Amino acid sequence: MSGIKHFSGFEVIRAAMEVEKNGHRFYSTMAQKAQEPMLKELFAWLAQDEVEHLRRLKQLEADYDDGSFGDCEEELVPYLRQFSDTKIFPDAEYLEAVLQTPEADLQALDLAIEAEEKFAAYFLKACDMALSQDGKDAFGWLAGEEVRHARILKERRAQLK
């Protein structure tokens, strides 16, 4: 995430959109495969919440210029893909391995908590760097949402110990 300081607001939004898509995919998979009914419901709710975040980001995206990446598109696009694929939510292969373990539900909760905390930090950095007040407000709201997700996940994790 150290490269975030070099991103435009549009680039941060695009990276965040990719992570939200991966979050939706992660939570949808877990909603289908979790054994504990409470977790099935929680993961389904989180998947839907990621869709709402994506909607909010799409609205915010329109506020940034023409959406261009600037002079280094060839370098930036692969970085954004790599970031969104592996830096926040686990990739499909790793998730499948986790789902084969005896404590899959608990491990999935731990992965989700870690991902939400990383994404909250990402949005806090984006909030600090946003040039417009609308951008600061949107990124601040999204950071708060991710912190809320992490808190809820931690509460559920404590219930299942």
Side-chain angles (χ1 to χ4, degrees), residues 33 37-38 59 66 91 120 134:
K33 298 195 176 194
M38 172 185 64
Q59 288 176 335
D66 63 356
D91 64 28
D134 286 348

Side-chain angles (χ1 to χ4, degrees), residues 4 42 54 57 59 81-82 102 111 125 132 138 141:
I4 193 171
L42 174 62
L54 186 58
L57 286 164
Q59 288 176 335
R81 284 193 186 114
Q82 184 261 345
L111 289 172
K125 283 186 181 186
S132 72
W141 174 78

Side-chain angles (χ1 to χ4, degrees), residues 19-149:
V19 176
E20 292 290 351
K21 289 175 190 175
N22 289 339
H24 179 263
R25 197 167 27 252
F26 172 79
Y27 288 128
S28 295
T29 299
M30 291 313 304
Q32 293 172 351
K33 298 195 176 194
Q35 299 298 313
E36 175 65 43
M38 172 185 64
L39 292 181
K40 285 184 174 288
E41 184 178 325
L42 174 62
F43 287 136
W45 174 79
L46 287 166
Q48 188 56 43
D49 222 28
E50 299 295 354
V51 171
E52 174 58 25
H53 296 168
L54 186 58
R55 184 192 65 75
R56 180 84 181 250
L57 286 164
K58 283 182 182 180
Q59 288 176 335
L60 185 61
E61 180 183 30
D63 294 340
Y64 286 90
D65 293 331
D66 63 356
S68 68
F69 284 100
D71 296 335
C72 58
E73 184 172 358
E74 306 83 38
E75 296 172 22
L76 182 63
V77 172
Y79 177 78
L80 291 176
R81 284 193 186 114
Q82 184 261 345
F83 168 80
S84 64
D85 288 343
T86 61
K87 299 292 185 202
I88 303 289
F89 288 100
D91 64 28
E93 186 177 301
Y94 183 73
L95 182 56
E96 195 56 42
V98 167
L99 292 172
Q100 303 304 316
T101 65
E103 294 189 346
D105 283 355
L106 294 177
Q107 287 187 328
L109 270 172
D110 291 340
L111 289 172
I113 291 165
E114 180 182 355
E116 294 294 344
E117 288 175 341
K118 284 180 182 177
F119 210 26
Y122 176 85
F123 277 135
L124 286 173
K125 283 186 181 186
C127 180
D128 287 343
M129 297 178 64
L131 299 178
S132 72
Q133 189 58 48
D134 286 348
K136 287 184 182 297
D137 292 346
F139 288 131
W141 174 78
L142 288 163
E145 287 292 293
E146 305 309 334
V147 167
R148 182 174 62 90
H149 286 178

